[in-house]
């Protein structure tokens, strides 16, 4: 019976030690600060996760705004016509006084 009690206490104790890594705990970080000096800090992993998600959301919103701008530009281009569609190259071939041909290319935009 005594062995059984010791085994039960050992199993319970090991279960507590195994469960502790899953709990978010502050971590000590070493690094270089904004002023270039060594820095020691304590960071909360949950706070880091929140900041990472916030940066992801901001980047995603910026991508959406960029894509929306591209879609609007394409829609306007179809509605009003693109610059290349309204201009054309005109080739003019003329004869000089000695009978040779002179070619001129002119870009005309309407």
């Amino acid at each position: 019976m005594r062995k059984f009690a010791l085994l039960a206490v050992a199993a319970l104790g090991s279960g507590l030690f195994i469960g502790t890594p899953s709990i978010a705990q502050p971590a000590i970080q070493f690094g270089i600060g904004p002023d270039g000096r060594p820095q020691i800090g304590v960071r909360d992993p949950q706070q880091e996760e929140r900041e990472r998600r916030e940066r992801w959301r901001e980047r995603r919103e910026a991508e959406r705004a960029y894509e929306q701008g591209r879609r609007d530009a394409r829609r306007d281009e179809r509605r009003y016509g693109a610059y290349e569609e309204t201009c054309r190259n005109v080739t003019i071939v003329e004869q000089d006084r000695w009978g040779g041909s002179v070619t001129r290319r002119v870009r005309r935009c309407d």
Side-chain angles (χ1 to χ4, degrees), residues 16-25:
L16 290 176
F17 289 120
I18 292 172
T20 51
S22 64
I23 298 172
Q25 296 179 357

Side-chain angles (χ1 to χ4, degrees), residues 58-105:
E58 289 173 359
R59 186 172 58 240
R60 188 67 187 139
E61 287 177 15
E63 289 173 359
R64 285 181 182 152
Y66 174 75
E67 289 298 323
Q68 183 64 38
R70 290 186 64 195
R71 281 192 294 273
D72 291 345
R74 285 189 199 133
R75 186 185 67 233
D76 292 343
E77 184 177 290
R78 277 181 269 146
R79 185 183 304 159
Y80 300 113
Y83 177 77
E84 289 79 22
E85 294 174 353
T86 59
C87 294
R88 62 179 187 217
N89 292 326
V90 178
T91 304
I92 302 170
V93 179
E94 298 175 334
Q95 285 188 342
D96 60 5
R97 4 185 229 196
W98 298 283
S101 63
V102 176
T103 304
R104 292 187 297 142
R105 290 182 179 84

Side-chain angles (χ1 to χ4, degrees), residues 2-71:
R2 186 174 182 190
K3 289 181 184 179
F4 179 71
L6 288 175
L7 286 173
V9 169
L12 181 63
S14 66
L16 290 176
F17 289 120
I18 292 172
T20 51
S22 64
I23 298 172
Q25 296 179 357
I28 297 176
Q29 292 184 336
F30 301 98
I32 305 296
D35 56 355
R37 302 175 82 190
Q39 186 176 17
I40 299 173
V42 178
R43 293 288 299 183
D44 183 13
Q46 292 176 345
Q47 179 66 26
E48 288 181 14
E49 181 68 20
R50 279 185 237 121
E51 290 172 0
R52 186 183 65 80
R53 286 184 182 176
E54 183 63 29
R55 285 191 307 269
W56 182 83
R57 282 188 195 106
E58 289 173 359
R59 186 172 58 240
R60 188 67 187 139
E61 287 177 15
E63 289 173 359
R64 285 181 182 152
Y66 174 75
E67 289 298 323
Q68 183 64 38
R70 290 186 64 195
R71 281 192 294 273

